[in-house]
C-alpha cells in the first residue's frame, strides 16, 4: 500500500529531447509528491514537487503532471541536456512527513 | 532550503563493530529522518528522529540495531550497531524545512 512504482528503470535521450518518467501509487493517503535528482556520490536534491489538488506544475524545464483519478504522476524534462544525466526518484509523502520512494530512473542524455 | 551536513562522509568498518553517524542542520527543524540507500537502489526510511523522545522505527528496523538520538532541533545521530557486510550502504539524514524534505550528502559505509 505504501509502494510507489516508477518506470522506466533507465532512459536514454538525445540532447534537446524530452525525458519522461512515470510513477504510480495506490495509497490515497499520500498528500505530497516530490521528485529528487541524484548524482553519483551525492545525496538526493529536491527538484520539483506537487500536491494532489494540482494537475500540473512547471519550473523551468521541469514539469510534473498529476492525474489523481488514475493515481499517476510524471516528470517531464524539456530540452534535456547532458548535465541532466542523473538518477531521478519520484516519492510520495504520508503520515508524519515520511517519504516512500520509487525505484529510480537512470537518465542518460547523449550530446 | 536547509543545508544538512553529515559526518563521516564515508568509512570502512570491521564486522562486529559499531559506527555513529552525525547529522547537523543549519536551521531548527521539527522533523528529522534517517534513510538507507543500498548500492544502486532506492531509499528506504529507517526511522523518524523525534526530539526529546524515542525514535519511531519503520517495519524491519529496530532500535537495538539502529539507535538514534535527537538532543535538539538541529542535530541527530544514527548508530549502526554490531555491523555485518549486509549493512554496507549509504545512510542519509533528512530534515523537513519550509514544508520540503531535504537530504544530506550521505554517509557511505563499507563493512568488511
Amino acid at each position: 500500500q505504501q509502494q510507489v512504482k516508477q518506470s522506466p528503470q533507465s532512459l536514454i535521450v538525445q540532447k534537446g529531447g524530452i525525458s519522461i518518467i512515470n510513477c504510480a501509487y495506490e495509497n490515497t493517503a499520500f498528500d505530497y509528491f516530490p521528485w529528487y535528482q541524484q548524482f553519483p556520490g551525492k545525496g538526493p536534491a529536491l527538484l520539483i514537487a506537487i500536491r494532489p489538488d494540482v494537475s500540473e506544475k512547471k519550473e523551468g524545464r521541469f514539469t510534473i503532471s498529476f492525474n489523481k483519478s488514475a493515481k499517476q504522476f510524471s516528470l517531464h524534462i524539456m530540452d534535456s541536456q547532458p548535465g541532466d544525466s542523473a538518477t531521478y526518484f519520484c516519492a510520495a509523502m504520508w503520515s508524519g512527513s515520511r517519504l516512500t520512494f520509487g525505484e529510480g530512473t537512470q537518465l542518460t542524455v547523449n550530446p | 532550503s536547509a543545508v544538512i551536513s553529515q559526518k563521516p562522509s564515508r568509512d570502512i568498518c570491521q564486522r562486529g563493530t559499531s559506527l555513529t553517524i552525525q547529522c547537523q542542520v543549519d536551521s531548527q527543524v521539527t522533523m528529522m529522518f534517517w534513510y538507507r540507500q543500498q548500492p544502486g537502489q532506492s531509499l528506504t526510511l529507517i526511522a523518524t528522529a523525534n526530539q526529546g523522545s524515542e525514535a519511531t522505527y519503520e517495519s524491519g528496523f529496530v532500535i537495538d540495531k539502529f539507535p538514534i538520538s535527537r538532543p535538539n532541533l538541529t542535530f541527530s545521530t544514527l548508530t549502526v550497531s554490531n555491523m555485518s557486510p549486509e549493512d554496507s550502504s549509504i545512510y542519509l539524514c533528512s530534515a523537513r524545512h519550509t514544508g520540503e524534505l531535504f537530504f544530506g550528502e550521505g554517509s557511505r559505509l563499507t563493512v568488511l
Side-chain angles (χ1 to χ4, degrees), chain A residues 62-103:
Chain A
F62 301 92
T63 300
I64 299 178
S65 297
F66 191 87
N67 186 329
K68 188 174 181 178
S69 61
K71 297 181 190 172
Q72 295 175 349
F73 58 110
S74 60
L75 175 70
H76 295 231
I77 306 175
M78 312 299 288
D79 188 27
S80 299
Q81 300 296 312
D84 297 330
S85 297
T87 301
Y88 292 80
F89 292 97
C90 64
M93 185 179 289
W94 53 291
S95 172
S97 299
R98 300 164 160 118
L99 283 178
T100 294
F101 282 82
E103 299 92 337

Side-chain angles (χ1 to χ4, degrees), chain B residues 52-103:
Chain B
S53 65
E54 198 169 277
T56 305
Y57 290 84
E58 300 301 315
S59 176
F61 298 96
V62 295
I63 186 171
D64 290 346
K65 177 67 176 177
F66 298 102
I68 288 170
S69 78
R70 184 156 177 214
N72 57 50
L73 293 175
T74 63
F75 186 80
S76 178
T77 67
L78 168 75
T79 298
V80 185
S81 302
N82 187 25
M83 288 183 286
S84 67
E86 292 71 35
D87 295 320
S88 297
S89 280
I90 302 169
Y91 293 86
L92 294 145
C93 176
S94 173
R96 183 161 189 178
H97 181 66
T98 61
E100 310 284 3
L101 275 168
F102 298 95
F103 285 83

Side-chain angles (χ1 to χ4, degrees), chain A residues 19-33:
Chain A
S19 304
I20 302 174
I21 304 170
N22 300 298
C23 287
Y25 64 97
E26 286 295 324
N27 190 346
T28 56
F30 290 144
D31 57 7
Y32 183 67
F33 300 87

